[in-house]
Amino acid sequence: MDFTYTILIPLIPLAIFLLLGINYNRITPAVSGWIGSLGLFVSFILSYYTAYLYFFEVGKVNEVYQTFSYHWRWMSFTETLQIDMGVMIDQISVMMLIVVSTISFMVHLYSRGYMKGDPGYTKFFAFLSLFTFSMMGLVLAVNLFQIYIFWELVGVSSFLLIGYYYTKPSAVAAAKKAFIVTRFADLGFLIGILILGYYGGSFDFATLTDPEGSAIANWASTSFMGLSVITWALLLIFMGGAGKSAMFPLHIWLPDAMEGPTPVSALIHAATMVVAGVYLVARLFPMYYFVEDGYALNIVAWVGAFSSLFAAIIALTQNDIKRVLAFSTMSQIGYMMLALGVSGYDGHDGLGYMASMFHLFTHAMFKGLLFLAAGSIIHAIHSNYLQDMGGLRKYMPITHITFLIAALSIAGFPGFAGFFSKDEILVAAYEHNKLIYYIGVVVAGLTAFYMFRLYFGIFWGKDTKYEHTPHESPVSMTFPLMFLAFMSIAAGYIHFSEYVTADKVPFEAHLNYPLAAIAVGVGVFGILLAFIFYKKPTNLPDKVSKAFGSLYQWAFDKFYFDELYLFVTKEIIFKRISAPFAWFDRNVVDGAMNLIGNSTVTGSEKIKKMQSGKVQDYAFAYVAGVVVLAMIFIYKWII
């Protein structure tokens, strides 16, 4: 089967970006919305068609899923070290095509209603298409350099979308913050790529991740500071993934990124961009697993577990509904990372890998739904804050039901998609690392509590007297909500272990009923606690927050990590390190150059009279020279 047609899937949004960007002032907003949506619909159909062909027709040979790669030579350094551009069709790239095309198409449809009347309507759709092209190019990449190119394009796209409201200082600051933080992380990613290229002689994924190939075995003998060079390279690559996926301590950009329009939050920070780091680790998973007893994989597991717990605690205290969802995203991405970190490779032992990809898939649906529902709410009452909400179920029935479905799914309630994927993660953690499993269970309870804190606070709670009576969003916005609500249930019933596995061999996964019962019990407890606290107005939340005292305040202020970064940047880097270098540059380097220049000017002032242009001065100099030479000659002759 020839999958070369899949190059059209990213090229279509690229063409839309160029069309809308170049003809920005000539295309009406209504037409630009339809162009963007119909173009993404074609990519959406092609992605699902590719998934059907791969998973049900030609992808599996002798019960093993195959990889189809199509390369076009771009640059050649040696006989073995080249950089190609192309597309790679395998289990996780096809899965990610489904995720990106589905969420992007729904966001395009939703934005037609949400952004109506915005002066930059056409520009917004151009930026959405650029982001979709970048993300699709990333997931189809055949080698590390291609993925890095699109990785940076995703960063540029997110910068444009986060800072879309460029007249707002907070939006501009958020865009710069996201761009700068991820640039530091991507420096590690680039260094890791160069190390792999130098020692491995290849950037190609198929070569690097072949468990039976020579690459992994050959690099284990080269070490630095007690770890093999390949381990250092993988840790640096994970640094890039942690930055893009907002893992601790590179998480500070994600909450501020909510300054962009809400559809941007759904597209970038719920389902696509932030899972790029998870996808990167999954793409290189054989290397992480087989090198040096999985040392780098342990780092992935613990960073994911800590990030998951850390973000869930902060989400309990936030009042901006988009920030709660942002920290929820960080927590759920941590879940995916810890699942990869506790995974084996062969058969059922690779449950963590499968569970991570499964949760990535289901999370895309219910988190995209949560953000779009939040946008519907904000669109109706023009506020992001819980204290301005309450009783909205009476005015927005579709948003209410779809939000409830998404909340039940992320809380792991039985029957919903999140229940199935989260259960597999907890089973994998229980089988490989009990402490990480216990952290996962605690996070499950916290997730259920803070999500139903949102649900009851928005749709029940106090009977708010709104200045303008809220109303349900138009069909262009509610249709994506209903579609994603359906997916937030149906996605859980996919037998994922038959389609996505670490060793490309399907296996049969089953619910672990005792562990599932524990997770469900903790989740239901969190929901009931939120019901008691927020179903009706009470003073219980205030009492509990005061009882926790400074701990609550620390969580509310995000444990002061923004302040810590500012202190390190301004007080240490700028004042203690940069200031002395700046003084040395001004006074020593510039001073030396100025001294040379000033000496030249002074010297020229002294000698410029030698070329006065007066004949008598030149005649005097000539005669004086002759006299001096004659005297020297006579002196030498006499001596």
Side-chain angles (χ1 to χ4, degrees):
M1 177 66 193
D2 187 359
F3 284 100
T4 53
Y5 72 88
T6 53
I7 192 67
L8 294 173
I9 296 174
L11 288 182
I12 289 171
L14 174 63
I16 295 169
F17 164 69
L18 294 174
L19 176 65
L20 297 182
I22 293 172
N23 299 284
Y24 172 75
N25 292 319
R26 291 189 286 271
I27 298 178
T28 62
V31 172
S32 64
W34 278 111
I35 290 174
S37 299
L38 291 175
L40 260 295
F41 178 68
V42 176
S43 290
F44 171 82
I45 294 298
L46 286 175
S47 297
Y48 275 76
Y49 174 68
T50 302
Y52 171 77
L53 286 180
Y54 182 80
F55 288 119
F56 299 105
E57 295 288 337
V58 300
K60 192 163 53 174
V61 178
N62 296 325
E63 294 303 312
V64 178
Y65 281 103
Q66 306 299 302
T67 298
F68 301 87
S69 289
Y70 304 94
H71 301 249
W72 297 275
R73 182 59 39 80
W74 184 33
M75 290 189 289
S76 182
F77 300 102
T78 68
E79 290 184 0
T80 58
L81 187 59
Q82 296 114 7
I83 298 178
D84 296 342
M85 299 296 281
V87 294
M88 177 182 250
I89 302 298
D90 70 351
Q91 294 167 301
I92 58 174
S93 65
V94 173
M95 178 207 71
M96 286 298 294
L97 281 179
I98 294 296
V99 169
V100 176
S101 63
T102 300
I103 300 302
S104 185
F105 177 48
M106 291 299 115
V107 166
H108 274 74
L109 290 178
Y110 181 92
S111 298
R112 290 180 56 252
Y114 188 88
M115 300 299 291
K116 187 176 181 180
D118 188 275
Y121 190 92
T122 300
K123 177 182 70 174
F124 181 78
F125 275 89
F127 289 168
L128 283 184
S129 298
L130 176 63
F131 176 85
T132 305
F133 159 69
S134 306
M135 195 67 206
M136 287 178 169
L138 187 155
V139 302
L140 289 171
V142 295
N143 57 59
L144 277 168
F145 254 104
Q146 184 182 345
I147 205 172
Y148 184 77
I149 291 167
F150 284 100
W151 191 273
E152 296 305 314
L153 270 175
V154 168
V156 171
S157 307
S158 66
F159 174 81
L160 294 172
L161 287 167
I162 295 167
Y164 175 76
Y165 296 123
Y166 58 88
T167 56
K168 287 176 60 180
S170 58
V172 174
K176 290 191 293 185
K177 186 177 184 180
F179 195 76
I180 291 169
V181 171
T182 52
R183 291 297 70 70
F184 277 103
D186 292 350
L187 174 62
F189 186 15
L190 179 59
I191 295 171
I193 290 173
L194 295 176
I195 292 173
L196 290 186
Y198 179 79
Y199 284 96
S202 176
F203 297 116
D204 189 71
F205 286 130
T207 302
L208 293 173
T209 59
D210 183 4
E212 299 178 359
S214 60
I216 294 175
N218 288 345
W219 298 342
S221 58
T222 307
S223 63
F224 174 71
M225 294 180 64
L227 294 176
S228 68
V229 169
I230 181 62
T231 299
W232 283 111
L234 292 174
L235 289 174
L236 287 167
I237 288 173
F238 175 62
M239 176 181 171
K244 196 71 81 183
S245 291
M247 293 289 93
F248 179 90
L250 299 170
H251 64 281
I252 59 170
W253 65 270
L254 185 63
D256 292 346
M258 298 301 109
E259 289 290 342
T262 302
V264 170
S265 303
L267 179 62
I268 300 180
H269 307 291
T272 52
M273 173 179 164
V274 292
V275 299
V278 179
Y279 176 78
L280 180 64
V281 175
R283 173 59 72 199
L284 295 172
F285 183 75
M287 299 183 74
Y288 278 93
Y289 180 74
F290 285 108
V291 171
E292 208 166 17
D293 297 326
Y295 180 86
L297 206 57
N298 284 331
I299 299 296
V300 172
W302 283 107
V303 169
F306 182 81
S307 298
S308 184
L309 180 60
F310 179 81
I313 292 171
I314 296 175
L316 296 172
T317 64
Q318 302 302 298
N319 294 318
D320 183 331
I321 62 174
K322 287 175 69 176
R323 284 182 182 266
V324 174
L325 296 179
F327 281 108
S328 173
T329 297
M330 177 182 168
S331 182
Q332 296 303 303
I333 300 296
Y335 248 99
M336 299 172 206
M337 286 291 192
L338 76 85
L340 286 173
V342 299
S343 180
Y345 185 75
D346 299 313
H348 187 273
D349 196 45
L351 179 63
Y353 179 95
M354 184 280 293
S356 178
M357 297 298 97
F358 193 12
H359 198 58
L360 187 158
F361 188 82
T362 60
H363 174 264
M365 305 306 163
F366 59 69
K367 185 55 67 65
L369 171 56
L370 285 169
F371 268 109
L372 294 185
S376 179
I377 294 160
I378 294 166
H379 187 264
I381 66 170
H382 308 291
S383 174
N384 291 24
Y385 294 96
L386 271 174
Q387 54 265 36
D388 299 328
M389 303 174 187
L392 282 175
R393 71 191 185 283
K394 296 178 290 187
Y395 308 103
M396 308 177 72
I398 297 175
T399 302
H400 167 228
I401 295 300
T402 54
F403 190 99
L404 176 60
I405 290 170
L408 288 168
S409 189
I410 194 174
F413 197 81
F416 294 83
F419 163 75
F420 297 99
S421 57
K422 188 176 289 187
D423 177 72
E424 302 290 8
I425 290 176
L426 293 176
V427 171
Y430 183 82
E431 291 177 352
H432 289 83
N433 190 311
K434 295 294 192 297
L435 181 55
I436 289 180
Y437 164 75
Y438 294 132
I439 292 173
V441 171
V442 171
V443 170
L446 296 178
T447 301
F449 178 77
Y450 68 66
M451 282 311 308
F452 276 84
R453 171 177 175 258
L454 277 189
Y455 167 72
F456 289 121
I458 294 169
F459 296 104
W460 297 82
K462 62 182 179 181
D463 191 6
T464 303
K465 303 298 180 184
Y466 296 101
E467 186 176 342
H468 302 287
T469 303
H471 58 84
E472 187 57 270
S473 298
V475 176
S476 60
M477 295 170 65
T478 54
F479 173 77
L481 297 183
M482 291 184 284
F483 179 84
L484 290 175
F486 167 76
M487 293 297 289
S488 296
I489 299 172
Y493 293 91
I494 299 172
H495 294 160
F496 222 74
S497 61
E498 296 180 9
Y499 304 108
V500 178
T501 58
D503 60 356
K504 302 186 184 301
V505 178
F507 67 91
E508 191 172 352
H510 300 281
L511 278 176
N512 185 312
Y513 288 100
L515 295 183
I518 294 171
V520 169
V522 170
V524 170
F525 177 75
I527 294 172
L528 290 176
L529 207 59
F531 177 86
I532 294 168
F533 274 56
Y534 300 103
K535 171 66 166 54
K536 295 179 180 178
T538 68
N539 60 356
L540 275 176
D542 291 334
K543 284 184 177 180
V544 172
S545 60
K546 288 177 181 177
F548 280 97
S550 58
L551 179 60
Y552 175 87
Q553 191 61 44
W554 275 60
F556 181 78
D557 290 321
K558 297 165 284 186
F559 293 96
Y560 300 102
F561 266 87
D562 287 284
E563 290 78 4
L564 177 62
Y565 273 93
L566 284 174
F567 175 80
V568 170
T569 303
K570 292 183 176 181
E571 299 299 324
I572 298 177
I573 296 177
F574 289 171
K575 289 186 178 180
R576 303 292 185 269
I577 299 174
S578 299
F581 276 107
W583 181 91
F584 182 83
D585 184 61
R586 286 194 305 270
N587 294 281
V588 178
V589 178
D590 290 353
M593 295 300 103
N594 292 336
L595 178 62
I596 293 171
N598 292 335
S599 300
T600 303
V601 172
T602 302
S604 66
E605 287 287 342
K606 298 293 184 184
I607 65 173
K608 69 181 181 181
K609 292 183 179 179
M610 294 175 63
Q611 293 185 337
S612 63
K614 297 178 181 178
V615 176
Q616 58 268 36
D617 289 342
Y618 298 151
F620 173 78
Y622 174 76
V623 172
V626 169
V627 171
V628 170
L629 290 174
M631 292 177 66
I632 293 172
F633 176 76
I634 293 170
Y635 175 77
K636 290 288 186 180
W637 183 73
I638 294 174
I639 297 299

